Amino acid sequence: MDSEDFWQLIGAARERAAAGPADGSASTCVDGEAVAEAAVALLAARPAAEIVAAQQELWDAMAASYTNPLWAAAYTINGGCSDDGFDYFRGWLIAQGRDVFERVTADPDTLADLPAVRAAAAEWEELDCEAVLGIVWNAHLRATGEQLPAKSFTIRYPALDPDWGFDFDDRAEMARRLPRLTALYAHHYADHAAGH
């Protein structure tokens, strides 16, 4: 499995999740969880070697999205963002498919254009999906009854950009760097500052 295969898997999982029964939930993570479950089912049907190889592709996508600008965007959307929270946010982002992932990774301010983000902003609902991080593990367990082999992947996170090493609570600096996203969430931060 290579990067192209991995993103085709996510695309197929998105199609399957979209065709599945709707449960009427308004949670934005339900879609991510449905994509994750569909990806597990699709991946579990593949040979074990392909399943194992998918783990490297998943974590390569996680590494590619490990940037301070995206972390600042996740901080804005979720009202804060820990290390684990950033992992789960990127899981949600992977579940949105390759086109969205690549566009947002290149320019996190484009998150403000996504319907899911705009809907989440209306209620200040968090966007995260931890389930995406376990798709390969769960597919391998389902297909083989065994855990993924030890050392089946490596994580190569890039160094974070020191130019973005400022306090993400600095609303003026965030507005300068992520203007559309900050504007979308401005009323929440104003309410929070006012104690509402």
Side-chain angles (χ1 to χ4, degrees):
M1 174 169 287
D2 60 15
S3 177
E4 188 69 29
D5 294 330
F6 175 77
W7 286 113
Q8 286 177 359
L9 172 75
I10 297 299
R14 284 184 57 77
E15 288 176 12
R16 180 179 282 195
D23 66 359
S25 173
S27 172
T28 54
C29 194
V30 169
D31 177 57
E33 290 173 358
V35 171
E37 182 51 42
V40 168
L42 291 166
L43 189 56
R46 297 190 179 203
E50 281 188 40
I51 299 171
V52 172
Q55 184 75 331
Q56 186 63 59
E57 297 305 326
L58 171 65
W59 286 97
D60 285 350
M62 290 291 287
S65 58
Y66 186 76
T67 68
N68 270 350
L70 187 59
W71 204 330
Y75 192 97
T76 299
I77 290 169
N78 289 345
C81 191
S82 66
D83 292 353
D84 287 346
F86 189 41
D87 284 347
Y88 307 155
F89 177 82
R90 288 178 292 142
W92 171 84
L93 183 60
I94 288 168
Q96 305 313 298
R98 184 178 202 164
D99 290 344
V100 169
F101 178 87
E102 290 179 348
R103 183 170 65 247
V104 166
T105 301
D107 181 4
D109 206 29
T110 61
L111 281 159
D113 302 331
L114 298 180
V117 174
R118 297 183 80 75
E123 301 296 326
W124 208 356
E125 188 175 326
E126 290 189 17
L127 294 175
D128 58 30
C129 194
E130 182 181 1
V132 169
L133 307 185
I135 59 176
V136 182
W137 177 273
N138 291 328
H140 193 271
L141 193 59
R142 185 178 295 182
T144 68
E146 299 175 0
Q147 297 180 1
L148 273 171
K151 300 182 182 178
S152 59
F153 70 104
T154 57
I155 302 173
R156 296 177 290 269
Y157 282 133
L160 291 170
D161 184 350
D163 186 46
W164 281 76
F166 62 92
D167 183 351
F168 292 164
D169 284 321
D170 181 340
R171 303 314 311 156
E173 187 63 19
M174 291 289 267
R176 186 176 76 75
R177 294 177 184 240
L178 298 168
R180 291 183 292 148
L181 194 58
T182 304
L184 185 61
Y185 282 84
H187 66 285
H188 293 299
Y189 284 98
D191 290 347
H192 182 71
H196 297 289

